[in-house]
Amino acid sequence: RNQPTKKLEAHISWTIAIVLSIIHWIFAVWSSTFNATTFDEVAHIAGGLGQVLYSDYRLNPENGVLPQMVSAAVMNAGGVKFPSVSDSNTPEGISWLFSDAWELGYRTLYQEGNDPKKVLLLGRSATALSGMLTVLLVHGVARQVHSSSVFGSLVPTALCAFCPTMLAHGALITSDGWFAFFMNLAPVCVHWMLEQSGWRAPSSLAREAAASVWCGLVAGVAVGCAGVAKHSGVLVAPMALLLLAVHL
């Protein structure tokens, strides 16, 4: 005889998931302190600070705006100094005029009196929040797919929380961590929207309409965030079409 699947109560399940996500953040930030400045971080630091301080998006435009702004907001709050770019006759001003993110990022790290370790720690601490959210997203999806079973809910969550790739790269000041989160969140939200939007037989027209509007707004925000996290977010479009075809 098949034994009934043991289910995990929501408050216990989510408490464990939150603890695992916090552990993931701590490990990711702590392990990043052993890394030197990586190549892409230099341009992301300058791009983000340019956006936060001057609302100027010319620096490092080839990467996502949202990840750079999140890290830069924390760095700015932590007192990180950005080069003075008001005088176009100075090296800093010339770099600003020609959108040289690499030069401005290098100066921010090493020539403005900032502690490079502090700059990296602040920015990486902010970026590592994407890993926390990814762990919680995996947990939510796992609970849904596996009907809240103990094994099905916690094993995927733990695998995500202690994934070596996420721990090694998720905290770096680049677009990848936030893109990974939103690129997983967007299809989930689109699927949720399609499930609630009447592609299947609705039980109540008014309730269905309200649910469709709410789900559509959430899905739209998720898809938009994927797009501003990295230009590769356009890949959400074929995913959404495939999900639509499945639900028809």
Side-chain angles (χ1 to χ4, degrees):
R1 295 176 59 184
N2 293 330
Q3 295 294 327
T5 303
K6 197 171 187 180
K7 294 190 176 183
L8 193 62
E9 293 184 15
H11 70 281
I12 298 175
S13 181
W14 281 106
T15 298
I16 295 173
I18 291 171
V19 170
L20 287 173
S21 70
I22 293 173
I23 292 173
H24 171 87
W25 181 84
I26 292 172
F27 280 8
V29 174
W30 173 71
S31 64
S32 75
T33 60
F34 297 96
N35 293 333
T37 309
T38 60
F39 184 79
D40 285 349
E41 287 183 303
V42 176
H44 279 75
I45 289 171
L49 288 171
Q51 292 160 20
V52 169
L53 295 174
Y54 299 104
S55 298
D56 193 308
Y57 300 89
R58 294 177 300 115
L59 300 179
N60 200 31
E62 63 272 22
N63 284 288
V65 172
L66 180 60
Q68 296 182 79
M69 291 189 71
V70 171
S71 298
V74 175
M75 288 187 283
N76 184 49
V80 173
K81 299 176 183 176
F82 190 67
S84 176
V85 296
S86 57
D87 186 353
S88 60
N89 294 316
T90 63
E92 297 88 347
I94 295 173
S95 297
W96 177 260
L97 186 64
F98 288 95
S99 306
D100 191 345
W102 302 100
E103 178 64 23
L104 290 170
Y106 181 86
R107 288 181 175 276
T108 299
L109 280 165
Y110 305 114
Q111 297 181 352
E112 291 297 317
N114 297 312
D115 180 358
K117 291 183 178 179
K118 177 184 176 183
V119 175
L120 293 174
L121 181 61
L122 289 170
R124 289 171 175 177
S125 297
T127 306
L129 294 174
S130 64
M132 285 185 65
L133 294 175
T134 303
V135 172
L136 296 176
L137 175 62
V138 168
H139 181 72
V141 173
R143 277 183 59 83
Q144 180 69 25
V145 171
H146 298 288
S147 303
S148 304
S149 70
V150 176
F151 185 86
S153 298
L154 297 184
V155 170
T157 308
L159 289 174
C160 181
F162 298 107
C163 172
T165 300
M166 287 188 61
L167 288 172
H169 301 283
L172 298 180
I173 308 172
T174 65
S175 303
D176 298 331
W178 286 107
F179 177 68
F181 168 66
F182 286 117
M183 201 59 182
N184 282 281
L185 177 65
V188 170
C189 290
V190 170
H191 170 73
W192 178 46
M193 177 188 69
L194 294 173
E195 284 286 326
Q196 301 292 329
S197 62
W199 293 106
R200 298 186 186 278
S203 57
S204 170
L205 186 59
R207 183 181 302 174
E208 188 70 22
S212 297
V213 171
W214 170 246
C215 294
L217 288 173
V218 173
V221 170
V223 171
C225 287
V228 295
K230 205 168 188 179
H231 299 317
S232 307
V234 296
L235 293 174
V236 173
M239 294 180 183
L241 291 174
L242 181 60
L243 287 169
L244 177 60
V246 170
H247 282 79
L248 283 175

